[in-house]
Amino acid sequence: QSSPAVRRRASTNAAAVWTTEGLTIDQLAFYVGVKDGDALAPNNGKEQRPLNFKSGMQGHEIAALFEALHTRDGSSYKVDKLEAATFLGQRGWRVQFSAVRKFDDVKLSGSIWATVRDGQLYAMSFAAPTLAFYPRLAPKVEKLAANARLNG
């Protein structure tokens, strides 16, 4: 099977974001070579805690960093599973999570794959509504994560 057609691309501070159905439906975000001290997202106010990557972070700390990213807007978030996984051909982590988006109360399911290479974070984060889109798109994203490699 081929990869889902990418209809739109967007970018944030540290991520390139792909979607097939629109940004409010599904998001596949790539964090490539985030350096020690770099932020995953811009700070939008003094009350927000900085989301800075630290090169010594372990899996549970990276999971907490992404939890903070997903809850900045008041959405709820729960880590369902954190496990060791191979990502980009090396040892890393996989986080499975569930969330309820604040602005529309849509229940989301998601997965994050991450590794630290040469002190830099490489991660792929996918989220989509639990009822229809996640089950349909997740197998394609799983395949993408399993086959992802870095050039160089």
Side-chain angles (χ1 to χ4, degrees):
Q1 278 191 350
S2 64
S3 297
V6 176
R7 294 190 184 183
R8 289 182 214 162
R9 294 182 186 196
S11 63
T12 65
N13 199 37
V17 181
W18 294 1
T19 181
T20 58
E21 302 294 333
L23 291 172
T24 59
I25 304 295
D26 66 289
Q27 292 187 22
L28 178 60
F30 299 91
Y31 299 82
V32 180
V34 180
K35 294 178 175 67
D36 183 70
D38 283 357
L40 290 189
N43 250 3
N44 294 330
K46 290 181 181 180
E47 70 280 351
Q48 287 186 336
R49 113 181 175 174
L51 299 177
N52 294 23
F53 167 70
K54 300 293 180 200
S55 62
M57 286 180 156
Q58 295 301 306
H60 68 282
E61 295 165 308
I62 291 171
L65 185 65
F66 278 93
E67 178 177 359
L69 178 67
H70 283 92
T71 58
R72 291 182 115 189
D73 65 355
S75 295
S76 66
Y77 182 97
K78 178 180 171 240
V79 172
D80 298 317
K81 189 175 188 179
L82 170 62
E83 61 189 343
T86 299
F87 181 58
L88 300 177
Q90 67 181 53
R91 195 176 77 197
W93 306 274
R94 178 169 181 212
V95 180
Q96 291 175 280
F97 67 89
S98 52
V100 177
R101 201 166 45 203
K102 182 180 179 178
F103 81 88
D104 60 5
D105 288 330
V106 170
K107 185 174 182 192
L108 304 171
S109 293
S111 295
I112 300 161
W113 296 263
T115 191
V116 177
R117 177 177 168 179
D118 298 326
Q120 297 180 8
L121 174 66
Y122 295 85
M124 189 172 99
S125 173
F126 172 65
T130 301
L131 291 179
F133 292 96
Y134 189 84
R136 181 167 54 93
L137 298 172
K140 295 172 184 174
V141 175
E142 295 272 349
K143 187 175 180 180
L144 182 64
N147 293 314
R149 297 292 179 265
L150 282 176
N151 292 330

